[in-house]
Amino acid sequence: MGGIRAIGQKKGAVDRRFIRGLGTWTVYRPDIHSFAEFLQRAGLHDLRDVRRVFGLARVYIASRGQALRSAGGSFQTIEREISALTKFSHALDVYAERHGGESAADIRTVLAEEKARWREELAPRSNGYTTRAYPDPDGLYAAISDPALRLQARLMGETGCRAEGVGAPARGSNPLTVANLLGMGADPVSGEAAGRILVIEKGGKQTEHYVGAATYQALADHIQEHGQLASGYRSFLRAVETAARLTGQYAPGRGTHGLKHSFAQTRMREATETGLSYEAAKQAVANEIAHNRMDSVDVYLRF
């Protein structure tokens, strides 16, 4: 794996197969070591024997999927492991290019097939409350009776903004006005039409976010009618927690920030489904939730 580390190097100067972030390296390394130990137990001691690695990769992922299913684990876990092994296959390719040997493309074919299989067989998230994300954010929005507060909740859940970014700061005033509306554009992950909004969040940081076309239109209509979208944070929090209780999603600590967690987990799935690598998807989510550092996303992806 050392052959595909490019930690700290700029994106444009690095082969897309390489690992650029220390956070990704830290996450992937235990998964790759576990696979290497499995190969050793199976009697394989030469990783240049790509054909045997190819066959054992399917056996390994199948056994991991079955174990997760028995334990009530989630697809997100095996998705991470498959992403790690995909990087491992790229390392084999880089070695073959430098020293001679077979391509590991067939390994990636197996991994893609197993990923599709376990997406159908494993739950998206584990049972029980181990995450701050709301299991049914759409149900939560529908249960908020006040239209302005409902719109704020939907904006937070669809953009990953903090509460102050949707006009509900804990202190002071930070309304969304016509100046925050940037018009329609293409969602950078899905490529679909989406509204663009510019918000001011923690520390006065300006961040641009994408929101569904219908929600963007609802925001534009609200601002046209009322001049702004704003509320007190306590009112917003009470509305979210009341809706959470009505829909059976209440848990201490979820609060409004649970909507940001819901966004991160949904966005991560969307990004990987469009073909982004696990690493690239995490970086995209990190940028959208205004953290930027890829490893900061991990807390939001806990299932």
Side-chain angles (χ1 to χ4, degrees):
M1 285 293 289
I4 62 166
R5 283 183 295 182
I7 295 170
Q9 296 185 33
K10 292 183 178 180
K11 181 177 180 180
V14 177
D15 189 319
R16 291 184 63 185
R17 298 173 298 179
F18 285 28
I19 292 175
R20 300 189 311 277
L22 180 60
T24 299
W25 170 248
T26 302
V27 170
Y28 283 177
R29 185 168 51 186
D31 292 331
I32 293 168
H33 285 180
S34 294
F35 181 56
E37 291 166 2
F38 169 80
L39 295 178
Q40 288 182 319
R41 292 194 299 271
L44 177 65
H45 301 290
D46 188 347
L47 293 177
R48 292 173 296 180
D49 189 350
V50 174
R51 292 182 185 277
R52 285 204 66 198
V53 177
F54 161 78
L56 290 169
R58 189 184 300 278
V59 175
Y60 178 76
I61 293 298
S63 67
R64 289 293 301 131
Q66 291 162 6
L68 285 168
R69 183 169 55 195
S70 298
S74 69
F75 170 72
Q76 192 256 352
T77 299
I78 201 167
E79 181 181 36
R80 186 203 70 229
E81 295 178 10
I82 288 172
S83 295
L85 297 193
T86 299
K87 284 296 183 185
F88 171 74
S89 76
H90 287 313
L92 296 179
D93 275 347
V94 171
Y95 183 90
E97 291 165 8
R98 293 174 179 175
H99 305 287
E102 295 183 65
S103 167
D106 287 345
I107 297 174
R108 290 188 288 278
T109 298
V110 166
L111 294 174
E113 291 172 353
E114 289 297 314
K115 182 177 179 178
R117 171 191 173 186
W118 292 107
R119 186 188 301 279
E120 298 298 323
E121 296 196 27
L122 291 173
R125 55 176 61 86
S126 302
N127 295 328
Y129 172 53
T130 57
T131 171
R132 287 182 72 176
Y134 286 99
D136 179 19
D138 285 331
L140 183 85
Y141 309 146
I144 298 176
S145 58
D146 184 281
L149 297 173
R150 182 169 61 247
L151 179 56
Q152 287 178 305
R154 183 173 287 280
L155 282 169
M156 193 170 175
E158 289 189 18
T159 65
C161 289
R162 296 176 175 86
E164 61 263 31
V166 297
R171 288 182 290 275
S173 177
N174 190 37
L176 290 177
T177 68
V178 68
N180 299 98
L181 303 176
L182 302 182
M184 297 296 293
D187 185 300
V189 171
S190 69
E192 297 178 358
R196 298 164 52 236
I197 61 172
L198 183 69
V199 306
I200 299 175
E201 298 188 77
K202 188 176 181 180
K205 184 177 183 180
Q206 287 191 337
T207 55
E208 184 176 327
H209 297 268
Y210 292 82
V211 65
T215 303
Y216 182 82
Q217 187 60 55
L219 174 61
D221 291 345
H222 183 93
I223 290 173
Q224 183 176 20
E225 181 177 354
H226 302 282
Q228 63 179 23
L229 176 65
S231 73
Y233 177 71
R234 297 303 303 177
S235 297
F236 182 41
L237 174 62
R238 283 195 298 271
V240 169
E241 290 191 336
T242 298
R245 286 187 170 92
L246 289 171
T247 57
Q249 300 182 74
Y250 177 79
R254 272 200 170 126
T256 60
H257 210 64
L259 294 169
K260 191 176 178 75
H261 286 246
S262 296
F263 166 81
Q265 293 183 13
T266 299
R267 194 62 158 169
M268 188 70 185
R269 287 193 293 272
E270 289 176 351
T272 55
E273 286 170 3
T274 62
L276 289 180
S277 68
Y278 188 79
E279 178 186 24
K282 278 184 68 176
Q283 186 60 65
V285 173
N287 293 341
E288 291 192 87
I289 62 176
H291 279 286
N292 298 326
R293 286 176 48 251
M294 184 168 56
D295 56 359
S296 66
V297 177
D298 291 336
V299 68
Y300 292 91
L301 301 182
R302 291 175 183 166
F303 285 84

